[in-house]
Amino acid sequence: MCAELKRNKPNFFLSLFEQKCPRCRIGYMFQTKKAYDLKRFMKMNERCPVCGQAMELEIGFYYGTSYISYALSVGLSVATFVAWKVLIGFSLEDNDNRLFYWIGFNAVLLLLLQPWLMRLSRAVWLSFFVKYDMDWEQHNLREPEQKGGLL
C-alpha cells in the first residue's frame, strides 16, 4: 500500500502577488521576476512554462486590466488617506499644508508602485478567466477559442 502524496493547494493571493499562472500557480506569467526591470517588466511568456496555459486568451485580452489597475490605485489612495488622517491628521486652517503633503506623497507612491500594479492587474484579470486546476497534469489543456493573427 503506497500512500499518495497529497499536494497542498497554493494560496490564491500569494500566487497573485507573485504573478504566477492561475491554472497551476507554479509557473511565472512574466519573463522576468523583477517588476522594476523597466525594459522587460511587461514582457509575458506566451505560455506558462510549467503547465502550458496560454497567457493571452484572445487579441486585446488585457485591455480590461485598466479597470483592475484603477481599482487598485483608488484602494491604495484611500488606504494612504486613512493612514495619513489617523497618524498625522488634516486641518482646514489657512497655514496647514498637510493635505497637500499627502497628495504629493500619494502621487509619488503611486508612481513608484505603477510597474508592480500593472503586473498585478494582469494577474488578477487572467485569474478571472482561468481557474485553478489541482490536477492540471491529468487534464487536457483547453486552447483559447480565438488565436492571434489576421484573417
Side-chain angles (χ1 to χ4, degrees):
M1 294 186 159
C2 280
E4 257 186 60
L5 283 174
K6 179 92 172 154
R7 199 176 357 176
N8 289 336
K9 183 177 180 180
N11 186 298
F12 174 70
F13 292 107
L14 189 59
S15 67
L16 276 181
F17 287 122
E18 293 178 346
Q19 291 101 30
K20 290 189 177 181
C21 171
R23 181 172 181 243
C24 66
R25 295 185 186 169
I26 299 171
Y28 288 94
M29 292 174 56
F30 293 92
Q31 292 178 2
T32 179
K33 293 180 188 177
K34 300 175 185 174
Y36 294 97
D37 180 4
L38 297 181
K39 289 186 179 179
R40 301 183 320 143
F41 81 102
M42 289 302 288
K43 293 192 190 248
M44 297 182 72
N45 295 317
E46 284 187 34
R47 296 192 169 274
C48 173
V50 176
C51 69
Q53 171 65 46
M55 291 292 135
E56 188 165 354
L57 302 182
E58 61 186 30
I59 297 170
F61 176 70
Y62 288 107
Y63 285 132
T65 61
S66 60
Y67 299 108
I68 305 296
S69 182
Y70 179 74
L72 290 171
S73 298
V74 168
L76 185 63
S77 295
V78 168
T80 60
F81 181 83
V82 169
W84 194 280
K85 173 79 172 155
V86 170
L87 297 174
I88 297 171
F90 293 111
S91 176
L92 297 177
E93 295 177 16
D94 291 337
N95 296 332
D96 188 14
N97 293 327
R98 289 181 282 186
L99 176 64
F100 299 108
Y101 294 146
W102 169 77
I103 291 172
F105 170 77
N106 191 58
V108 169
L109 183 67
L110 286 175
L111 187 64
L112 290 175
L113 289 177
Q114 193 58 38
W116 185 76
L117 288 172
M118 290 170 66
R119 288 170 61 121
L120 180 62
S121 65
R122 282 194 175 201
V124 170
W125 187 252
L126 187 60
S127 72
F128 285 159
F129 299 97
V130 177
K131 300 302 175 203
Y132 175 68
D133 185 3
M134 185 175 283
D135 299 318
W136 59 269
E137 295 102 340
Q138 285 82 31
H139 296 143
N140 291 332
L141 181 63
R142 288 191 322 170
E143 289 297 320
E145 292 178 16
Q146 180 180 355
K147 295 191 178 192
L150 299 174
L151 296 175

